[in-house]
Amino acid sequence: LDGADGGGLGMAGRAVRPSRALLVFQGASFGQASLLSMVSSFGPIRQFLPVQQLGEGAYLLVFYDLRNAQNAIVGLQGAILCGARIQVSPVDEAVWAAAPGPSGSSFKPGAVAVQVSNGSVTNLEVRQLLARCGEVFDVQGAGPWRAAEYYDSRHAAAAVTALHGASLLNLGVVRVEPLLYPSLPAVPAAQGMQPPPAAVLQWMASR
């Protein structure tokens, strides 16, 4: 998927793929509560967990919304909390197992696969349908199957519930399902994205 604004998701190697998941490093740990209070100012948080393999002061931070995560990268990088400098590193969502699926697959946060019985519809029409459940980041594909992503991963879940099985005049019967990654080890990091250390990969895969 590539972003509608041209920024791009980098899945085709054309740009850096923005991520909802970040590794946050605090030079000296002054308690999880203080850091959580700081990062929460950027938006609703899905996960905030210590990463013990990286030592004290290292946390996995996952936002629901891509835009909140990108704002957090800018706002947190180099910030000082209780005298300690904060560092932030994006994590490729391909290695963050949000929800294990069949055959070792995992759901891609915020993304849905859309099947329409009328394969001649445009991606704009698919976007307009999906926009009933939230703001859409991008839609790609052609024919009966399309891949789409919401800014907010909660809106993808709402679309699966609200739109799956709908029958619409111009689209035909619609199927909306979670989009699955292949098994974690087979997914390469997007171009320009810093891959997490091996210990973190193993830790994420076990979540």
Side-chain angles (χ1 to χ4, degrees):
L1 296 177
D2 283 314
D5 60 0
L9 295 186
M11 299 306 286
R14 287 176 291 182
V16 173
R17 165 70 164 88
S19 175
R20 297 173 181 82
L22 313 173
L23 285 175
V24 180
F25 302 90
Q26 188 180 10
S29 178
F30 292 96
Q32 185 172 340
S34 298
L35 186 57
L36 177 59
S37 176
M38 185 176 191
V39 300
S40 296
S41 65
F42 294 95
I45 293 173
R46 178 172 182 170
Q47 282 186 319
F48 182 72
L49 300 170
V51 184
Q52 297 178 351
Q53 289 87 336
L54 296 181
E56 191 175 13
Y59 297 90
L60 172 68
L61 170 63
V62 184
F63 289 91
Y64 285 103
D65 196 303
L66 277 171
R67 295 163 293 191
N68 295 152
Q70 300 312 297
N71 290 337
I73 292 174
V74 175
L76 292 173
Q77 189 68 269
I80 303 296
L81 177 64
C82 300
R85 187 175 301 277
I86 296 173
Q87 294 182 317
V88 182
S89 175
V91 175
D92 189 340
E93 286 184 357
V95 298
W96 174 57
S103 304
S105 298
S106 59
F107 294 117
K108 184 181 187 316
V112 293
V114 182
Q115 184 184 32
V116 292
S117 56
N118 179 5
S120 65
V121 300
T122 67
N123 285 343
L124 176 59
E125 290 174 302
V126 174
R127 177 187 289 270
Q128 290 171 340
L129 168 68
L130 296 176
R132 298 181 182 186
C133 295
E135 192 170 353
V136 179
F137 182 45
D138 192 28
V139 178
Q140 287 195 11
W145 281 102
R146 315 295 169 93
E149 182 168 7
Y150 286 90
Y151 282 102
D152 192 317
S153 59
R154 293 169 294 186
H155 296 160
V160 171
T161 301
L163 301 176
H164 185 77
S167 181
L168 303 172
L169 182 63
N170 60 329
L171 301 182
V173 178
V174 177
R175 293 177 60 193
V176 181
E177 302 175 349
L179 190 63
L180 294 175
Y181 278 125
S183 58
L184 291 173
V187 180
Q191 181 177 356
M193 184 67 69
Q194 178 180 348
V200 179
L201 289 176
Q202 183 178 2
W203 178 78
M204 288 179 182
S206 69
R207 297 302 301 173

